[in-house]
Amino acid sequence: MTTATSTRIYNFSAGPATLPEDVIKQAQQDIWDIADSGIGVMEHSHRGKVFDAVMQETIADCRSIGNISDDYEVLFLQGGATLQFAMVPMNYLGQGKTVDMLHTGVWTKKAIGEAKLFGDVHMAFHGTDCKFVHVPADSEVSYSGKATYVHYCSNNTIAGTEYSHVPATDLPLVVDTSSHMFSKPLDISKHAIVFAGAQKNLGPSGCTLVIIRKDFIERANPNMPLMLNYAKQAEKGSMLNTPPTFAIYIMGRVFKWILEMGGLEAMAKHNQAKAKIIYDAIDGIDFYGAVAKLDSRSMMNITFRTPNADLDKKFIAEALDADLSGLKGHRSVGGLRASVYNAFPVEGCKALVEFMKNFAAKNG
Ligand SMILES: Cc1ncc(COP(=O)(O)O)c(C=O)c1O
């Protein structure tokens, strides 16, 4: 990060976001010439040997990190996580069919809107009542008793809330893990579909990781257009058309980096330590306030406020002058947000806290 030899600054953006430096450096070489092939990674045919090796290693490393059994397909799809909001109900709802939604913020609102185009939506949890400051305990969820599947978002990027449990249900569980995928262990085996847009913890935008249980694929609507058909995508190894080769390549490098870091247990420890540094400052300096309730605080997206909106604005501007970028809260909620995904360094968290102390002393 900011060193005598680097012009890079601390990037707290919610996504696209900070990637591991080692990955970027390796990519710089591979863009020019990958695996001594004399051709850069972006210029290789997706049907050729070099890219095939990238694809197979990426899938194998993904399986290894997530402890993903052969009961699941690992797919790399396009259209972002947003397309999954539509693709899931398109495949599994229909007239008279219901999804049970755990509504915890902007990203479940979008999923609800798309699901309503294809079937009935039952609000099993309605977070608007609490202004999305916490995710529901199992006791707060009321299932319809007739749903085809349950949808939830395990880390709410905008509200800054995160589940520390998997909702208890026997129904097929669909989860949007976009903003904390592989930041800590996740029990894939409790889910029918796990999906994540890549551009936070996994790589650049343009690719969505979709992990889907094979027996759930069999239950999908077979009359889907090709690109929206999970079975066809699985059959063709996510290559019904030209896949986003560069995004998949970077994901593969990020997976190798996660494995080198010690896997998901190590990732979780590293992320807990980073988040604690910032939450301790928010709680300890009588000037800042956390947005999310204590039991639902996200390790990835830390939402907080100064005493008023004018000071929030000043904070954001002065932080940028101090090489701390991307601290503005989402436009729908305002305030401040520090996104500290896997690749974000601990030094950046400490630099933010120093800045927070000085800012509070000057403006408090
Ligand atoms: C939790 C969550 N779900 C879905 C999305 C939408 O992702 P995409 O832009 O890949 O469609 C985002 C984007 O920020 C997100 O944070």
Side-chain angles (χ1 to χ4, degrees):
M1 286 294 146
T2 319
T3 67
T5 57
S6 173
T7 54
R8 288 167 68 79
I9 64 172
Y10 291 120
N11 175 17
F12 292 89
S13 164
T18 304
L19 287 167
E21 286 208 2
D22 291 350
V23 169
I24 295 169
K25 285 182 180 149
Q26 179 71 48
Q28 283 177 328
Q29 284 178 28
D30 292 345
I31 284 173
W32 185 246
D33 175 3
I34 184 169
D36 287 329
S37 62
I39 297 173
V41 57
M42 288 189 283
E43 303 160 289
H44 269 283
S45 162
H46 58 295
R47 310 271 177 214
K49 263 194 194 159
V50 171
F51 184 72
D52 186 54
V54 168
M55 188 69 154
Q56 295 320 316
E57 271 181 50
T58 302
I59 294 171
D61 289 341
C62 182
R63 285 191 181 280
S64 160
I65 294 168
N67 195 20
I68 303 167
S69 79
D70 285 343
D71 295 340
Y72 288 80
E73 296 283 356
V74 173
L75 307 177
F76 302 99
L77 304 186
Q78 298 172 63
T82 303
L83 184 60
Q84 293 307 304
F85 295 159
M87 190 163 160
V88 175
M90 220 183 260
N91 272 273
Y92 294 100
L93 293 185
Q95 218 180 2
K97 288 192 179 167
T98 301
V99 50
D100 281 0
M101 282 280 183
L102 275 54
H103 181 26
T104 50
V106 170
W107 300 111
T108 47
K109 186 175 178 198
K110 292 198 188 237
I112 289 163
E114 297 294 72
K116 281 183 175 166
L117 298 173
F118 303 100
D120 298 329
V121 174
H122 167 77
M123 303 296 281
F125 174 74
H126 213 316
T128 37
D129 302 341
C130 70
K131 297 203 169 74
F132 302 123
V133 295
H134 77 106
V135 295
D138 285 328
S139 57
E140 295 172 273
V141 179
S142 30
Y143 293 111
S144 65
K146 58 176 181 182
T148 306
Y149 67 93
V150 176
H151 176 115
Y152 77 108
C153 177
S154 50
N155 187 74
N156 296 279
T157 327
I158 293 171
T161 60
E162 180 171 13
Y163 284 81
S164 50
H165 66 285
V166 173
T169 172
D170 293 332
L171 290 170
L173 203 44
V174 173
V175 62
D176 173 4
T177 60
S178 294
S179 48
H180 73 164
M181 188 63 191
F182 288 163
S183 65
K184 63 179 183 182
L186 167 70
D187 191 347
I188 304 274
S189 73
K190 288 188 172 160
H191 297 85
I193 299 182
V194 175
F195 67 86
Q199 64 274 14
K200 290 143 202 309
N201 257 332
L202 305 180
S205 58
C207 188
T208 314
L209 174 65
V210 177
I211 302 164
I212 179 164
R213 213 172 56 219
K214 290 175 181 167
D215 70 352
F216 199 54
I217 293 184
E218 284 167 18
R219 285 193 243 165
N221 180 345
N223 301 316
M224 284 288 111
L226 217 48
M227 291 298 284
L228 305 175
N229 185 314
Y230 289 112
K232 296 277 185 222
Q233 288 284 8
E235 203 181 299
K236 296 290 179 195
S238 312
M239 289 211 217
L240 280 168
N241 71 336
T242 317
T245 55
F246 185 67
I248 293 169
Y249 155 81
I250 293 281
M251 248 201 227
R253 298 306 317 183
V254 169
F255 291 163
K256 287 196 187 300
W257 175 80
I258 293 174
L259 288 167
E260 278 159 23
M261 292 281 290
L264 296 187
E265 296 285 353
M267 226 59 256
K269 260 195 196 159
H270 162 72
N271 287 325
Q272 267 154 9
K274 287 187 310 184
K276 183 173 185 318
I277 290 170
I278 300 176
Y279 281 121
D280 280 354
I282 295 170
D283 294 339
I285 306 171
D286 188 19
F287 178 81
Y288 300 103
V291 174
K293 258 180 76 183
L294 194 60
D295 63 1
S296 298
R297 286 178 172 183
S298 168
M299 280 198 298
M300 301 277 96
N301 309 101
I302 299 172
T303 45
F304 60 109
R305 294 180 189 282
T306 68
N308 64 59
D310 287 338
L311 282 172
D312 286 346
K313 228 170 151 182
K314 191 170 180 214
F315 182 102
I316 293 158
E318 290 185 13
L320 187 57
D321 287 341
D323 283 350
L324 306 170
S325 167
L327 286 159
K328 192 167 188 275
H330 189 269
R331 60 189 182 282
S332 62
V333 291
L336 305 165
R337 172 176 57 177
S339 296
V340 287
Y341 298 119
N342 284 354
F344 190 89
V346 67
E347 294 78 13
C349 299
K350 291 180 185 162
L352 173 61
V353 166
E354 273 315 296
F355 177 84
M356 287 169 71
K357 283 183 192 159
N358 292 333
F359 188 84
K362 274 192 235 147
N363 297 280

